[in-house]
Amino acid sequence: MEDYFAGIEPIRYEGPDSRNPLSYRYYDADRIVAGKRMADHFRFAVAYWHTFRGTGVDPFGQQTLVRPWDDPVDSVDNALRRMRVAFDFIARLGVDYYCFHDRDIAPEGASLAESNRNLDQVVDLAEKLQADTGIRLLWGTANLFANPRYMNGAATNPDAHVFAYAAAQVKKAMEVTHRLGGANYVFWGGREGYATLLNTDMKREQDHLARFLHMADDYARAIGFDGTLLIEPKPKEPTTHQYDFDAATVLAFLRGYGLDRFKLNVECNHATLAGHTFAHELQTASDAGLLGSIDANTGDELIGWDTDQFNLDPAVTSRVMMIVLRQGGIAPGGFNFDAKLRRESTDIRDMFAAHVGSIDAFARGLLVADRIIADGTLDQWRRERYASYDAGKGAEIESGAAGFRDLEQWVLDAGEPRTNSGRQEQFENLVASFW
Ligand code: XUL
Ligand code: CO
């Protein structure tokens, strides 16, 4: 195979003082932090769709990212060549995982049968490359949004024939994910939503979506796939109202329809599109015991689209890692870089630089989070705010022993509560002192 990455050495840890832009300054895969290898805290994955299928197309302009291993025809041969290049890239980056949609890795054929045959050929190669390199599949998924047949949705399409097509496609995508030893399977609700209620029976569409997910759960069990099934919330884009709006909406949906096996894959840019912080969405999922995996990226505060940028902000990454450490880790999920190069970043070197920068930002976040938790002051301050529930009437409220009459009597006896500062600036300063 031609060496498309000639001149780019495998990326190594060189420490915070390194001036080599293609080195890790914080990410040291084997370093033990909080009792675990750094690599095992993150289980970083490269997103096939952005890094190997992203072309830089936007609503105003054509392809800018032209790769020497791609030819203009979307052929199986090209898909096989691209897969070899992808494994070479991931290996040089020193990352352990990748993620894909079925249609990222193999071209869609003229029929479902042909699409499945194409997929099988590429999966044969992926299986071999995984064995050769030790690189593993974090998750697979099906693209149920790009083909025009899905323009009115997949599982929520008003046409049962389209629902069936989506089911057949997910069936195959689950089979190949299982065959490749995928640790998880993701459902992002591509076009599961609506633009106007005038033509939409929302209740019926949501019932159909739940039926679809129950079928997927049944099929996963039938083939012995015991990886986690993950729903990825997103509030809008492409539809105006996506049904999986945010973590809280998805949790209510899962509970309402008895979908007990599903967890959440939380993405930063989707959180911010929903008007939440990344930390809010992660904490919501984690508090429910359902934070399964993370799509690591960020948006642009000034634009308001899903710009899928590489996250470089240690203030954000340290918050993320505090939540992940507190819940005891993210495995069998991981951190998938659902992030793309800017369309002006046309060099192959940019592919490496983008991942290196964000991997380092998360590694730095882990080190900061570990220090904050080990120090204990933040936890102590927060616990102190709730100390009134640790004993007396507060404890009776929590245990269910107190009712409105008891509480009225307490207030009649004790009068006004005293003023308690929230001390937000002190909390913020404390966290900043660990950066
Ligand atoms: C879209 C998005 C998807 C999912 C996988 O916004 O995040 O790439 O992660 O379908
Ligand atoms: Co995503």
Side-chain angles (χ1 to χ4, degrees):
M1 185 178 81
E2 198 179 319
D3 186 0
Y4 293 105
F5 302 132
I8 296 182
E9 297 298 315
I11 315 295
R12 309 240 177 266
Y13 172 72
E14 293 183 8
D17 297 332
S18 171
R19 304 308 299 162
N20 173 5
L22 292 189
S23 71
Y24 293 121
R25 296 165 65 232
Y26 297 96
Y27 182 62
D28 185 2
D30 291 323
R31 174 169 168 193
I32 304 292
V33 180
K36 235 175 10 198
R37 289 172 67 238
M38 269 193 164
D40 297 332
H41 278 285
F42 293 109
R43 299 160 60 85
F44 285 127
V46 170
Y48 210 93
W49 52 100
H50 285 312
T51 301
F52 286 93
R53 303 311 306 273
T55 62
V57 165
D58 77 4
F60 307 96
Q62 300 163 2
Q63 175 166 10
T64 57
L65 308 178
V66 182
R67 303 305 185 198
W69 53 83
D70 276 336
D71 60 42
V73 187
D74 191 13
S75 65
V76 172
D77 277 350
N78 193 161
L80 295 170
R81 184 167 57 245
R82 188 189 293 121
M83 179 65 78
R84 288 200 177 85
V85 177
F87 272 79
D88 185 15
F89 173 80
I90 298 166
R92 286 190 206 212
L93 201 57
V95 159
D96 296 325
Y97 292 91
Y98 69 119
C99 298
F100 62 73
H101 301 85
D102 48 2
R103 303 300 179 242
D104 303 333
I105 60 169
E108 180 148 18
S111 65
L112 180 67
E114 190 185 328
S115 300
N116 288 351
R117 277 196 301 276
N118 291 349
L119 193 54
D120 283 335
Q121 284 186 65
V122 182
V123 168
D124 286 344
L125 176 63
E127 195 171 33
K128 181 181 170 310
L129 292 170
Q130 287 188 194
D132 292 349
T133 59
I135 291 165
R136 283 163 284 167
L137 179 62
L138 183 65
W139 49 262
T141 187
N143 182 324
L144 303 178
F145 43 91
N147 189 292
R149 85 173 69 83
Y150 295 124
M151 68 181 181
N152 291 301
T156 64
N157 197 293
D159 181 354
H161 193 160
V162 180
F163 181 106
Y165 207 112
Q169 203 181 315
V170 168
K171 173 178 176 290
K172 181 69 181 176
M174 287 185 131
E175 288 163 9
V176 304
T177 299
H178 185 39
R179 184 176 153 204
L180 293 172
N184 309 267
Y185 184 89
V186 164
F187 297 84
W188 167 58
R191 294 182 190 272
E192 315 293 24
Y194 67 89
T196 170
L197 274 182
L198 294 174
N199 69 5
T200 302
D201 185 336
M202 184 159 66
K203 168 81 169 69
R204 213 164 168 189
E205 291 200 359
Q206 296 211 16
D207 288 350
H208 293 168
L209 179 57
R211 279 287 354 123
F212 190 92
L213 295 172
H214 272 296
M215 287 181 203
D217 183 7
D218 291 345
Y219 192 66
R221 285 176 210 275
I223 62 174
F225 176 69
D226 55 12
T228 314
L229 304 182
L230 298 163
I231 311 270
E232 183 176 324
K234 184 175 183 180
K236 55 188 167 193
E237 214 191 283
T239 77
T240 315
H241 303 267
Q242 296 278 128
Y243 291 135
D244 297 331
F245 189 92
D246 62 359
T249 309
V250 172
L251 292 176
F253 178 84
L254 294 177
R255 286 169 181 153
Y257 285 102
L259 290 156
D260 307 327
R261 176 174 171 174
F262 290 78
K263 292 191 170 184
L264 273 64
N265 181 41
V266 173
E267 174 167 328
C268 178
N269 205 166
H270 297 179
T272 48
L273 285 178
H276 300 307
T277 61
F278 196 9
H280 172 88
E281 287 294 87
L282 292 166
Q283 192 70 57
T284 301
S286 185
D287 285 347
L290 296 180
L291 173 57
S293 203
I294 291 177
D295 268 9
N297 66 9
T298 189
D300 184 318
E301 282 172 24
L302 303 179
I303 290 185
W305 306 328
D306 193 13
T307 56
D308 284 344
Q309 293 174 220
F310 285 85
N311 202 322
L312 291 178
D313 187 345
V316 172
T317 60
S318 51
R319 296 290 302 280
V320 171
M321 294 319 296
M322 280 166 69
I323 294 166
V324 169
L325 286 176
R326 283 196 175 115
Q327 75 159 27
I330 198 69
F335 283 71
N336 166 48
F337 287 109
D338 194 354
K340 64 186 175 205
L341 293 172
R342 300 307 86 196
R343 72 192 298 273
E344 305 84 359
S345 302
T346 51
D347 291 349
I348 283 176
R349 203 180 166 81
D350 296 321
M351 292 169 59
F352 285 92
H355 286 86
V356 166
S358 197
I359 287 172
D360 253 352
F362 277 96
R364 195 173 163 204
L366 170 65
L367 297 171
V368 170
D370 178 44
R371 287 202 299 274
I372 292 174
I373 291 174
D375 168 79
T377 310
L378 184 77
D379 280 337
Q380 187 196 328
W381 285 5
R382 195 164 55 175
R383 262 196 320 275
E384 282 168 7
R385 289 192 73 215
Y386 299 88
S388 62
Y389 288 91
D390 292 341
K393 281 279 174 266
E396 286 176 27
I397 292 172
E398 285 199 346
S399 72
F404 274 4
R405 284 198 191 87
D406 310 300
L407 300 184
E408 181 190 45
Q409 195 54 56
W410 180 17
V411 173
L412 290 172
D413 295 344
E416 278 299 313
R418 66 189 160 85
T419 302
N420 279 317
S421 171
R423 301 165 64 203
Q424 178 172 335
E425 297 78 4
Q426 294 186 53
F427 278 78
E428 289 168 344
N429 292 351
L430 175 66
V431 167
S433 72
F434 288 91
W435 292 348

